[in-house]
Amino acid sequence: LHTALHYKHAPTAYHCQRVSEISLNIGRGLLGVRDLYLLEVAGLLHDIGKISAAANSLDAIANGKMSIDMPEMYTYTEHGVRIIQASFESDDLANVIRYHLCRFDGANCTSDQRSGLDLPIVARIVSIANAYD
């Protein structure tokens, strides 16, 4: 899946690699081996739903010439959740993709999404790494 994303839009794939590395650096010492593996894969695939976007839109976003409004981000996120659910038998991974845009204070969350301590710790870490990158 990461290779397909790289083929579609290399800058997004490189961003996902960096998010995965940053996430692992944050998670080491906090999480067990299983969650570290989940963190690595989630970081690599957190933007997999953007594979459905037009490449010129991704270029404009990467160059800072266009921002994505939150409803469009939810569309990419939901596409990502469906891709993950079809590819893996992991509700944990699907939930990280679903919640990685949600902030601890509830910002960027739809009414049916979690916030605060109800967010999976791996999703919180990916969110921080994503914002940092």
Side-chain angles (χ1 to χ4, degrees):
L1 288 174
H2 188 262
T3 301
L5 183 60
H6 187 274
Y7 180 77
K8 172 73 177 220
H9 194 253
T12 299
Y14 290 131
H15 159 73
C16 289
Q17 285 178 296
R18 290 188 305 271
V19 168
S20 181
E21 292 167 10
I22 294 165
S23 294
L24 282 173
N25 286 331
I26 294 170
R28 282 191 187 98
L30 297 173
L31 303 174
V33 174
R34 180 190 178 284
D35 284 337
L36 285 173
Y37 179 72
L38 176 63
L39 192 58
E40 180 179 22
V41 174
L44 282 173
L45 298 178
H46 75 278
D47 278 345
I48 192 63
K50 288 184 179 179
I51 205 164
S52 65
N56 61 348
S57 294
L58 295 175
D59 284 336
I61 294 162
N63 294 325
K65 298 186 181 195
M66 180 176 120
S67 64
I68 298 178
D69 61 359
M70 287 315 294
E72 191 171 353
M73 285 304 291
Y74 294 130
T75 301
Y76 294 154
T77 300
E78 286 307 312
H79 287 166
V81 169
R82 285 195 295 275
I83 291 167
I84 294 301
Q85 287 173 330
S87 303
F88 299 92
E89 290 184 15
S90 175
D91 291 335
D92 291 338
L93 182 57
N95 281 331
V96 174
I97 305 307
R98 178 177 288 114
Y99 296 122
H100 83 276
L101 292 176
C102 292
R103 294 190 185 160
F104 194 81
D105 66 359
N108 294 349
C109 295
T110 60
S111 61
D112 63 332
Q113 289 180 317
R114 303 174 187 173
S115 63
L117 294 175
D118 290 334
L119 289 168
I121 184 71
V122 174
R124 287 186 263 160
I125 292 171
V126 170
S127 178
I128 292 166
N130 188 38
Y132 180 79
D133 189 66

